[in-house]
Amino acid sequence: MTEAGYLAVDSGGSGLRIAVGVPGGAPPARRESREPVRTGARGIDPAHLLAELLPPARAAAAEAGVDELGTAVVGAAGFATLGDALRAELPGALARELGVRRVALAADAVTAYVGALGPRPGAVLAAGTGLIAVGTDLVGWRRADGWGHLLGDCGSGAWIGRAGLEAALRAHDGRDGGSAPLLACAEEQFGPVRELPGRLYPRTDRPAVLASFAPGVAACAAHDPVAAGILRAAARHMADSVAAVCPADGAPEVALTGGLFTMGDPLLVPLREELAQRLPHTRQVPAEGDPLHGGVRIATELAAGRLTLPGEPHMLYVVST
């Protein structure tokens, strides 16, 4: 084991995904940790992240034949607002434990962007349970939404699911705007809707529970105008976010990434129409990869000394240890 390698980490709500490899070499070795990193009064907990990271990182390095990890990239959910402790402590800890000399800490939206588009100007919409849009002109970063299911994430899986359940409850009550198909779908999934508040409100995973109903809304959209209207409204919200971050000049690219888009045409058709109308100067392209792929791309460029992405402390923080 003689070659210097890189470590790329994607830290999200379901835990860590880790890749270790050598720039320009074979596909990286991959590992996972199913324990999500804790957050507390100091934001994202660097000690807990390190504890979850080190065993799988060392195992992946051994598999990849890497004895020196010169570069590390960590993309973390919540980094933009909860990353102060990571910036202060994680680079030094990675240097002590793994010998890392170059570290990039990034918002997971940045690694999602780079995974989807690479180092090119444009905008990426990442949508699953939540939603955020990120754009760059390669001079600075812009982000829109990503404020969580109570304050934003407009058009996300949680937003669509909540709107669908509201329409179901309207039908149950006999109020205008209700949907009998969505009521039937909700009762098939959750049981009697009159019991839904008691089932939903005490839970700590409410956004995920709401988002679990989004596929039901998509399934009803072909024959229910209320469900179809919810998806059209979601598409308008998504286009609002993309338009807020997309470069106004040139011919930027726009890509979509995230699990919400597996719902297919009921959402994608109105979204593509909204994007074409709102951003006629852009080109819609398929996403090339996921956030871990974006972390690998950043690590490869950083190791070679040719990283061209803009550095901003709350979006992409690069430091030599």
Side-chain angles (χ1 to χ4, degrees):
M1 299 195 300
T2 60
E3 293 190 271
Y6 63 78
L7 166 68
V9 183
D10 176 39
S11 173
S14 59
L16 301 181
R17 296 189 305 142
I18 296 158
V20 172
V22 176
R30 296 173 182 257
R31 293 289 190 278
E32 292 186 357
S33 167
R34 294 292 186 178
E35 178 72 20
V37 176
R38 292 191 294 262
T39 59
R42 300 174 62 232
I44 302 168
D45 185 340
H48 188 226
L49 190 154
L50 195 69
E52 292 297 315
L53 168 62
L54 289 178
R58 286 170 173 149
E63 178 187 335
V66 173
D67 63 352
E68 179 185 356
L69 291 169
T71 303
V73 175
V74 179
F79 177 76
T81 53
L82 300 170
D84 287 349
L86 286 191
R87 282 185 290 273
E89 299 178 18
L90 193 60
L94 290 173
R96 289 191 304 272
E97 297 291 341
L98 298 174
V100 173
R101 299 186 303 276
R102 294 170 299 274
V103 177
L105 306 179
D108 60 339
V110 169
T111 52
Y113 182 100
V114 180
L117 286 184
R120 302 194 296 275
V124 169
L125 179 69
T129 298
L131 180 146
I132 189 169
V134 177
T136 183
D137 54 5
L138 302 185
V139 175
W141 293 99
R142 297 186 68 180
R143 58 164 283 180
D145 213 336
W147 300 120
H149 75 292
L150 292 178
L151 298 175
D153 287 357
C154 298
S156 67
W159 187 96
I160 292 170
R162 190 213 60 79
L165 291 172
E166 180 189 346
L169 290 167
R170 284 179 173 274
H172 174 270
D173 295 346
R175 290 180 286 152
D176 289 343
S179 164
L182 287 173
L183 174 59
C185 185
E187 294 200 316
E188 181 179 352
Q189 181 169 341
F190 296 107
V193 293
R194 64 180 177 274
E195 299 175 5
L196 190 58
R199 293 174 180 267
L200 179 64
Y201 292 155
R203 296 184 62 149
T204 58
D205 60 345
R206 286 187 300 275
V209 176
L210 292 170
S212 72
F213 192 59
V217 177
C220 291
H223 57 275
D224 176 36
V226 173
I230 290 170
L231 295 184
R232 283 194 299 271
R236 287 193 293 272
H237 284 305
M238 291 177 174
D240 287 342
S241 292
V242 175
V245 303
C246 190
D249 299 322
E253 296 177 342
V254 173
L256 312 175
T257 186
L260 189 62
F261 299 114
T262 61
M263 293 199 309
D265 284 350
L267 177 61
L268 288 173
V269 168
L271 176 56
R272 287 172 178 149
E273 291 173 351
E274 289 287 338
L275 291 173
Q277 180 178 351
R278 294 285 301 277
L279 298 165
H281 69 297
T282 66
R283 185 166 68 96
Q284 297 180 41
V285 299
E288 296 174 359
D290 64 7
L292 185 59
H293 177 62
V296 170
R297 277 181 154 176
I298 294 172
T300 300
E301 297 295 302
L302 183 58
R306 57 173 185 261
L307 186 65
T308 58
L309 295 165
E312 294 181 8
H314 292 85
M315 296 295 284
L316 179 61
Y317 176 71
V318 180
V319 61
S320 295
T321 56

